[in-house]
Amino acid sequence: MTQRLSSALPAVFAVVGLVALSASVLLDAAPTAQQLNGFDVHNSLVPVAEIHAGGPDRDGIPAIDQPRFVEAEAVDFLTRDDEVLGLVHQGEARAYPIKIMDWHEIVNDRIKGEPIAITYCPLCGSGVAFRAEQAGREFSFGVSGLLYNSDLLLYDRQTESLWSQIAKQAIAGPLAGTKLTALPLTHTTWGAWRRAHPQTQVLSTETGHRRNYDRAPYGGYSRHGELYFPVSARSKRYHPKERVLGVEVNGQFKAYPFAELSQTDGRISDQLGGESIEVRFDWAQPSARAFDAEGNPLPATTLFWFAWYAFYPETEVYRAN
């Protein structure tokens, strides 16, 4: 699944509560540990030494389990430039503001009775939506307080397996190796999403938790080159926080850096995994999406370059020239 470097050095960083991030001594679990944050990792598919404690204990960052939504015209807490994760599923459009996802990372939602998990990792800039079921079994997810390749490790409350958000599979516990089905998710601005989906519902700030959603808990992290946690592979080809659209087709991976997409006319026809795809880029937001040959959206992921490369160091990379 992923190439790893066993020599990754531990970082010195911790989350102080949920109010601010600050540097402190991070004590990583020993490679021989069989439990981390109370999770059984004896059968981990990744080196246990590369799973790091993010600071809070399990559920220290609380998932939203009973999401409330408001109609677009009733939204008064977003500006047109605020970022959202947009989902269209079973004919319904929903927007999940990043200013809320920064503080909760997981929304356990349902659309027409179907369980859906919306996930966001602020450290990787990655939003991924899943069908929260597998082989007829439904799951609800929580934040484990653990990271792999600086990325959120979810856990399901039914089996307490750990799941890698970006790899989209369980990496430890009873369901290790099991994959979830990802859904197309758009990382864009509120203004662009509302124009495209005027009837959208929007995740409310009435989450059941007291947070200042107008305050960014990660400050300028998305702009500077520093990483708070070690990763198994690094590349200097782009700035670590360069946004890319990561696409996987038939087991082949390709990154479409926004720096390259911005040099195009906004529509890129390509071949990946033996299939024809099209990548569409919107300069104004900016945002990118991928589609198959029939025009159906693919479950591509917008995220930071360092995170995509850490998981898929053999990735192809699109170059505008």
Side-chain angles (χ1 to χ4, degrees):
M1 175 187 77
T2 308
Q3 291 188 358
R4 299 175 289 272
L5 299 178
S6 61
S7 60
L9 298 176
V12 285
F13 184 84
V15 178
V16 179
L18 290 177
V19 180
L21 295 176
S22 63
S24 66
V25 177
L26 177 66
L27 299 177
D28 292 322
T32 57
Q34 296 299 296
Q35 284 202 341
L36 295 174
N37 268 13
F39 296 100
D40 186 353
V41 294
H42 82 276
N43 64 339
S44 177
L45 302 181
V46 303
V48 175
E50 295 182 15
I51 300 176
H52 299 283
D57 291 331
R58 72 160 74 189
D59 299 318
I61 297 175
I64 298 175
D65 293 323
Q66 295 180 319
R68 298 181 181 182
F69 292 88
V70 295
E71 302 299 326
E73 59 268 21
V75 172
D76 59 2
F77 57 90
L78 294 175
T79 70
R80 59 181 297 175
D81 294 327
D82 281 337
E83 296 179 11
V84 301
L85 299 176
L87 176 71
V88 177
H89 189 63
Q90 295 198 44
E92 291 194 15
R94 291 187 179 177
Y96 304 82
I98 295 297
K99 62 165 57 178
I100 299 177
M101 299 302 295
D102 268 341
W103 291 91
H104 297 283
E105 301 189 5
I106 299 172
V107 178
N108 290 299
D109 202 358
R110 300 187 81 88
I111 297 180
K112 295 185 177 178
E114 182 180 348
I116 304 293
I118 309 298
T119 70
Y120 180 69
C121 179
L123 296 175
C124 292
S126 50
V128 183
F130 300 99
R131 295 182 188 273
E133 57 185 352
Q134 203 274 336
R137 185 176 191 179
E138 294 188 5
F139 299 107
S140 64
F141 293 93
V143 180
S144 71
L146 300 172
L147 304 166
Y148 171 63
N149 273 339
S150 196
D151 181 46
L152 162 69
L153 287 180
L154 305 77
Y155 78 95
D156 71 81
R157 292 161 176 160
Q158 287 66 39
T159 74
E160 296 209 334
S161 297
L162 291 172
W163 300 76
S164 168
Q165 183 215 30
I166 292 176
K168 304 178 180 67
Q169 75 168 21
I171 58 102
L175 297 180
T178 302
K179 290 182 176 290
L180 291 175
T181 300
L183 300 172
L185 193 66
T186 302
H187 191 151
T188 185
T189 63
W190 166 234
W193 184 255
R194 184 176 182 179
R195 284 194 300 273
H197 306 281
Q199 303 304 314
T200 189
Q201 294 182 312
V202 183
L203 180 65
S204 169
T205 54
E206 294 183 14
T207 62
H209 302 276
R210 298 186 65 180
R211 300 287 185 274
N212 180 1
Y213 294 115
D214 288 325
R215 183 182 179 281
Y218 293 83
Y221 170 82
S222 65
R223 295 185 297 275
H224 61 65
E226 180 184 0
L227 304 186
Y228 293 148
F229 296 91
V231 295
S232 59
R234 295 285 297 267
S235 168
K236 296 182 179 180
R237 184 180 299 188
Y238 298 98
H239 188 283
K241 308 296 176 55
E242 169 70 21
R243 284 196 177 179
V244 306
L245 184 71
V247 185
E248 183 268 330
V249 177
N250 297 330
Q252 302 230 343
F253 303 90
K254 191 163 186 175
Y256 296 81
F258 283 19
E260 304 289 346
L261 295 177
S262 64
Q263 301 178 51
T264 71
D265 64 2
R267 284 182 176 256
I268 298 91
S269 297
D270 206 355
Q271 294 283 323
L272 184 63
E275 305 286 345
S276 296
I277 69 169
E278 182 180 71
V279 173
R280 301 175 191 172
F281 181 69
D282 184 345
W283 299 272
Q285 309 322 316
S287 66
R289 297 181 295 162
F291 300 83
D292 65 16
E294 286 72 45
N296 301 309
L298 295 171
T301 305
T302 298
L303 74 173
F304 297 139
W305 163 247
F306 88 84
W308 181 257
Y309 188 86
F311 278 89
Y312 308 112
E314 301 302 322
T315 185
E316 297 181 54
V317 180
Y318 172 77
R319 299 297 298 270
N321 295 325

